[in-house]
């Protein structure tokens, strides 16, 4: 039976990442922060009657990367009927 190595793979430092990996990381961070700011701003400006649930709960939920803001805009905002 072959011995299994018990060493963990070492994480790369920023300097060791390829230019494409750095670009992808920065792009993901910008998108995440943009979604967070947009959701927080919308919660601040939108009346409580137009939000499903409490504003405080949605504020906390938007702090979860990508999932929180996406959930808020998908499920938290009450949609107006078309033509209104």
């Amino acid at each position: 039976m072959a011995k299994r190595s018990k060493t963990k793979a070492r994480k790369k430092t920023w300097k060791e990442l390829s230019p494409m990996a750095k670009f992808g990381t920065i792009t993901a961070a910008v998108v995440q922060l943009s979604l967070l700011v947009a959701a927080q701003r919308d919660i601040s400006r939108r009346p409580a009657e137009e939000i499903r649930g409490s504003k405080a709960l949605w504020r906390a939920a938007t702090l979860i990367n990508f999932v929180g803001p996406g959930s808020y805009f998908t499920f938290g905002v009450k949609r107006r009927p078309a033509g209104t």
Side-chain angles (χ1 to χ4, degrees):
M1 191 173 201
K3 275 189 173 181
R4 291 188 180 184
S5 176
K6 292 189 178 187
T7 59
K8 291 184 179 180
R10 186 176 67 81
K11 291 184 179 180
K12 289 185 177 183
T13 63
W14 183 256
K15 290 180 181 179
E16 295 172 329
L17 291 177
S18 70
M20 283 304 292
K22 288 179 182 179
F23 177 77
T25 302
I26 291 169
T27 302
V30 168
V31 169
Q32 167 57 34
L33 287 173
S34 298
L35 287 170
L36 174 63
V37 168
Q40 291 288 332
R41 197 171 220 191
D42 189 77
I43 291 169
S44 294
R45 294 177 177 182
R46 189 176 298 273
E49 301 82 42
E50 294 181 15
I51 296 176
R52 290 185 180 98
S54 72
K55 283 188 168 191
L57 178 68
W58 280 115
R59 279 199 186 280
T62 59
L63 298 175
I64 301 170
N65 291 346
F66 295 103
V67 175
S71 295
Y72 169 70
F73 286 119
T74 304
F75 303 112
V77 178
K78 292 180 183 176
R79 302 286 177 221
R80 295 184 184 122
T84 305

